[in-house]
Amino acid sequence: DQQVKQNSPSLSVQEGRISILNCDYTNSMFDYFLWYKKYPAEGPTFLISISSIKDKNEDGRFTVFLNKSAKHLSLHIVPSQPGDSAVYFCAASVNSGYALNFGKGTSLLVTP
Amino acid sequence: DAGVIQSPRHEVTEMGQEVTLRCKPISGHDYLFWYRQTMMRGLELLIYFNNNVPIDDSGMPEDRFSAKMPNASFSTLKIQPSEPRDSAVYFCASSPRGARANYGYTFGSGTRLTVV
């Protein structure tokens, strides 16, 4: 069963606008969350992370928000750029574990 | 550092043949992970090692799949016999502290396996 869910397979946004990618999780034991970005023919690369003790983490144009009560996190990209076009994976881990659970990914297309 | 190196990049094989995928982790990383990516299931964990010892292989789909890590710089994932449903992209990743590293894992570029 999928413990990390990304319900939107794809998203299209105009350059300069905000991109919002969503992720839901079912396991209340998850305490660390990450976003990865993947270009075609490459492996996923780390983008940004957040611990469950925070509700927001920001890194340049990228901000991740965590709503623990709703078991929901989101990635905001502002402003969106064509180079941001990629597949974005949400991932989560449990404090006592060492493996990441990934969602299926959301394909973001930023159009000029 | 050259990053996580996987070989081959692409593999096309006939059903029933043995397939071996290879991975060289980043030097000094104690954790090595094998993931498989498919459209249906996304990125799913197959197995991971800590200090060359398999820790959790519950994600290995069947006995046809086996993984080894004979030393800190090399791991293999073997499928014998291969089936068309094994067609997927297989990723190897390594990490100095498993998922507890702030950046999680470093992934290789993957091996695209096609079984015909």
Side-chain angles (χ1 to χ4, degrees):
Chain A
D1 62 331
Q2 202 84 16
Q3 298 186 63
V4 178
K5 301 178 182 179
Q6 293 177 259
N7 293 320
S8 297
S10 62
L11 175 68
S12 183
V13 172
Q14 270 193 319
E15 181 178 6
R17 301 282 187 123
I18 183 172
S19 295
I20 300 177
L21 295 93
N22 294 303
C23 178
D24 297 295
Y25 60 95
T26 58
N27 189 342
S28 58
M29 298 296 290
F30 285 148
D31 67 340
Y32 196 67
F33 305 88
L34 307 91
W35 285 93
Y36 282 79
K37 178 179 179 179
K38 183 184 179 305
Y39 292 117
E42 295 182 11
T45 56
F46 171 76
L47 187 58
I48 192 169
S49 63
I50 187 168
S51 166
S52 60
I53 63 174
K54 296 184 176 181
D55 54 19
K56 176 183 173 181
N57 189 27
E58 196 170 350
D59 183 2
R61 297 186 297 114
F62 303 90
T63 303
V64 56
F65 295 92
L66 175 62
N67 182 335
K68 289 188 293 293
S69 60
K71 294 192 180 67
H72 177 84
L73 66 156
S74 61
L75 174 68
H76 292 212
I77 306 174
V78 183
S80 302
Q81 299 173 354
D84 296 329
S85 298
V87 176
Y88 290 79
F89 289 96
C90 174
S93 70
V94 176
N95 182 47
S96 59
Y98 292 89
L100 288 173
N101 291 269
F102 284 86
K104 290 185 180 181
T106 296
S107 179
L108 173 66
L109 177 64
V110 180
T111 56
Chain B
D1 199 319
V4 177
I5 300 172
Q6 291 187 246
S7 64
R9 288 298 307 271
H10 302 274
E11 177 79 42
V12 180
T13 190
E14 290 187 346
M15 183 174 64
Q17 296 298 306
E18 177 180 297
V19 176
T20 299
L21 311 181
R22 296 172 175 78
C23 175
K24 176 178 168 55
I26 291 174
S27 177
H29 282 194
D30 295 334
Y31 289 84
L32 183 139
F33 304 83
W34 282 100
Y35 278 82
R36 177 171 70 175
Q37 183 189 14
T38 60
M39 290 294 291
M40 289 292 293
R41 301 176 69 86
L43 273 167
E44 53 178 339
L45 177 67
L46 300 178
I47 185 172
Y48 77 94
F49 296 82
N50 177 214
N51 291 323
N52 314 337
V53 176
I55 303 300
D56 183 356
D57 65 354
S58 58
M60 296 286 261
E62 298 171 33
D63 291 344
R64 299 183 296 107
F65 286 69
S66 62
K68 294 181 179 180
M69 192 165 185
N71 57 62
S73 59
F74 184 65
S75 177
T76 59
L77 178 67
K78 185 177 293 186
I79 308 172
Q80 165 65 16
S82 58
E83 297 183 4
R85 60 192 167 122
D86 301 331
S87 298
V89 181
Y90 291 80
F91 288 102
C92 175
S94 70
S95 173
R97 288 194 291 141
R100 307 320 297 163
N102 290 338
Y103 54 86
Y105 310 154
T106 301
F107 281 86
S109 298
T111 294
R112 179 173 294 277
L113 173 65
T114 303
V115 183
V116 298

